[in-house]
Amino acid sequence: MDKLVIEGGKPLSGSIVIQGAKNAALPILAACLLAEGTSTIEHVPRLLDIDVMLNILRELGCRAEHVGDTVILNTETAHTSHVPESLMGQMRSSIFLMGPLLARFGETQVYQPGGCAIGERKIDLHLEGLQALGAEIEEIGNRIICRADKLYGAEIHLAFPSVGATENIMMAAVLAEGRTTISNAAREPEIQDLQRFLNEMGAKIMGAGTDTITIEGVQSLTPCTYRVIPDRIVAGTIMVAAAATRGQVTLLNTNPAHLSSLIHVLRRAGVQIAVDGDIIKVGCPGRPRAVERVVTAPYPAFPTDLQSQVMVLLALADGVSILKETIFEGRLKHVDELSRMGADIRVDLNSAFIRGVPRLYGATVEATDLRAGAALVIAGLAAQGKTIVEQIHHIDRGYDCIETMLGRLGARISRYSPVPKN
Ligand code: EPZ
């Protein structure tokens, strides 16, 4: 398995263009199934998760090409709505194929995506939403069979503003008969991007970005060309890395409004942030300050996907910080690895009590999930000495060649691919 080898202690400097958003591109690619024909989706990053989604769409009969950062997807030849278990298992978020497949084919078969390193990852809200639209759902073992001769608009309230459930219901409802309202909907920018894409195809959706989304069902949708928003989590990761290494970095192609909660926390830590249009400049000449309390919560609050990265900055800060994770019950596994690098962090239930230390020390550490892996890379960049990060396939799911991205900012980082034994 590939590893990253990092020689720490060098401040990041320079400028970087941020890639398209993985978590916007994935539902938009799934939504292409709702219209027969060829859609062109621009600004799609080259990631393992995107490859998995394109392979699933090919398995369903679509023709998909990823040229540069543009995906050309022809869904006309899609001929089945059964997602193979082997492919479902490669990416949990393939569960939001249910909505478009049900809307297009009237039935679909998927598999329980199961939990992962960060938590149980239930899908009850997805299934309840589809049932509210008229779907009959049968679970046989880990197989989920979903049928609906016709889908009808409904009033749906989400017990929790689940991102995936909101997306699944939106995609199922666009071709339903009548009006659907989703209350307590997720408000993430990726939901807003999905609404823009679906409306570009001829849907009639309003309210994405608020907690109530209204969908007027239409007869059919038309393929289109669409450009995905920038990835706010990749941008946030780079911002934290710049601060943790006491560097000076300019980020281009960002949407600062999507990062306001992170910018607020970084400024409280004494990081200098300047915003000008789609440009964010980050500088941290001295040691960051502790931040008394950071709590993850649904957008627009502080995002769970930046929790592990910010923990590294707070682990180096002057003072004691408390970081509370409220979205995923298993998303503090990176604490053990950071402690091996000299961090002073105590976990109690879903809160981390972080006593900042002057420096971290290089070590061999293991990525347990996508964002924890990114956090360990940041720790390695800031640490004194050499760090080896293992299991970096997790990182490749969400970052397009992270070593190249950081190398352009002056990081001493390289990928080590062991020669396969013959
Ligand atoms: C999306 O996951 C993102 N993934 C995640 O990013 C992100 O962390 C998460 O939203 C929260 O922002 C994609 O968009 C592909 P949820 P999703 O449904 O949709 C519980 C990354 O690193 N829940 O909002 O799976 C669930 O157990 C990934 O890029 C139910 O109980 O997140 C969790 O505790 C990681 N029942 C919480 O809600 C359900 O039916 C948040 O889940 C669905 C969810």
Side-chain angles (χ1 to χ4, degrees):
M1 301 291 266
D2 287 6
K3 301 173 183 174
L4 287 173
V5 180
I6 304 165
E7 198 57 51
K10 187 171 179 229
L12 295 187
S13 67
S15 59
I16 184 166
V17 178
I18 298 302
Q19 68 189 56
K22 164 177 86 81
N23 291 351
L26 288 171
I28 285 173
L29 290 171
C32 289
L33 283 162
L34 292 162
E36 295 195 26
T38 300
S39 287
T40 301
I41 313 300
E42 298 168 346
H43 206 207
V44 178
R46 307 195 72 91
L47 304 169
L48 291 186
D49 273 8
I50 297 291
D51 294 345
V52 171
M53 176 58 81
L54 294 179
N55 287 337
I56 292 174
L57 290 165
R58 292 182 185 112
E59 190 71 24
L60 297 175
C62 301
R63 287 200 293 272
E65 284 183 85
H66 198 171
V67 181
D69 72 352
T70 299
V71 169
I72 299 141
L73 180 55
N74 182 347
T75 64
E76 201 152 4
T77 48
H79 53 71
T80 174
S81 62
H82 290 198
V83 182
E85 184 171 12
S86 58
L87 288 174
M88 279 275 323
Q90 290 180 32
M91 183 178 64
R92 295 188 22 59
S93 41
S94 35
I95 194 67
F96 51 47
L97 279 159
M98 285 184 80
L101 288 171
L102 186 62
R104 167 118 177 226
F105 292 99
E107 70 94 34
T108 180
Q109 177 178 300
V110 297
Y111 292 84
Q112 279 287 353
C116 64
I118 61 176
E120 187 187 352
R121 310 296 292 273
K122 294 190 327 189
I123 61 167
D124 55 318
L125 300 176
H126 294 247
L127 302 182
E128 287 164 19
L130 297 178
Q131 280 172 320
L133 294 170
E136 286 172 20
I137 294 178
E138 192 183 356
E139 296 186 58
I140 304 167
N142 68 341
R143 222 162 21 123
I144 304 171
I145 300 151
C146 194
R147 293 186 187 87
D149 295 336
K150 191 159 183 50
L151 292 169
Y152 296 92
E155 292 197 5
I156 298 167
H157 177 81
L158 290 177
F160 177 86
S162 155
V163 172
T166 301
E167 292 164 342
N168 234 337
I169 295 164
M170 283 169 75
M171 292 189 280
V174 286
L175 296 174
E177 184 177 298
R179 170 180 297 180
T180 296
T181 53
I182 308 170
S183 54
N184 198 30
R187 300 165 54 185
E188 275 71 2
E190 293 75 26
I191 307 272
Q192 299 171 56
D193 216 25
L194 179 61
Q195 170 178 289
R196 279 191 293 271
F197 172 70
L198 289 168
N199 285 346
E200 189 69 25
M201 289 211 289
K204 289 182 182 160
I205 310 177
M206 293 187 300
T210 74
D211 62 4
T212 304
I213 297 175
T214 304
I215 302 125
E216 297 292 348
V218 294
Q219 287 296 318
S220 64
L221 296 177
T222 311
C224 70
T225 294
Y226 189 77
R227 182 175 176 79
V228 167
I229 55 172
D231 194 310
R232 62 194 169 100
I233 304 302
V234 169
T237 304
I238 299 289
M239 291 166 69
V240 174
T245 58
R246 302 197 189 176
Q248 187 80 32
V249 172
T250 299
L251 293 87
L252 310 168
N253 184 41
T254 69
N255 186 329
H258 296 166
L259 286 153
S260 49
S261 57
L262 173 69
I263 290 171
H264 177 67
V265 167
L266 292 180
R267 282 177 170 155
R268 284 169 62 196
V271 179
Q272 297 158 357
I273 309 265
V275 171
D276 177 12
D278 71 348
I279 298 170
I280 299 175
K281 292 188 177 178
V282 182
C284 189
R287 187 178 180 188
R289 294 193 296 266
V291 176
E292 189 182 350
R293 193 168 166 73
V294 180
V295 183
T296 68
Y299 191 89
F302 189 84
T304 176
D305 290 351
L306 286 172
Q307 176 259 107
S308 52
Q309 298 92 315
V310 157
M311 186 182 285
V312 177
L313 185 70
L314 298 177
L316 288 163
D318 182 10
V320 177
S321 310
I322 298 175
L323 215 173
K324 186 172 183 181
E325 171 59 52
T326 70
I327 303 291
F328 291 110
E329 67 276 18
R331 205 170 202 175
L332 292 172
K333 291 192 174 66
H334 44 284
V335 170
D336 292 345
E337 298 301 286
L338 292 175
S339 303
R340 298 180 54 238
M341 298 178 73
D344 181 355
I345 306 172
R346 180 173 55 82
V347 171
D348 179 18
L349 295 176
N350 61 347
S351 292
F353 297 83
I354 306 157
R355 181 179 303 280
V357 294
R359 68 182 56 75
L360 294 174
Y361 298 92
T364 297
V365 291
E366 188 173 312
T368 48
D369 78 86
L370 163 53
R371 307 305 173 181
L376 294 174
V377 170
I378 295 173
L381 294 172
Q384 187 176 313
K386 182 164 84 169
T387 295
I388 296 174
V389 183
E390 300 181 326
Q391 303 298 323
I392 61 169
H393 58 281
H394 290 294
I395 302 175
D396 293 336
R397 288 187 43 219
Y399 295 85
D400 185 355
C401 211
I402 195 166
E403 69 274 16
T404 305
M405 192 191 303
L406 294 169
R408 286 201 188 114
L409 295 173
R412 293 175 300 218
I413 179 172
S414 56
R415 180 180 293 255
Y416 169 74
S417 304
V419 175
K421 291 187 179 60
N422 47 17

